[in-house]
Amino acid sequence: VRTGEKPDWDRLVARTAKQIICAAGSSFSVRRCKNAKCPMRIVREVREVDQKKLDPCKTCAGQVRGR
């Protein structure tokens, strides 16, 4: 995906980690989230991943703990 950004290894690693967390949550049937900071949120653009945090919001974390 071309974003017009200069290559940045740290940003790549952070984005990848957030998307791995999202994929893992999906494998545990955690629903998609509307919270922009939650890793379970669906993004429309690569740069939106930068807004996510590594820790899920309370609602999504509760879905994981409830399993």
Side-chain angles (χ1 to χ4, degrees), residues 28-46:
F28 286 102
S29 300
V30 176
R31 292 181 296 276
R32 297 298 182 167
C33 188
K34 293 183 180 183
N35 182 335
K37 303 288 183 189
C38 183
M40 291 307 300
R41 179 173 181 251
I42 291 180
V43 296
R44 305 278 183 238
E45 296 182 23
V46 173

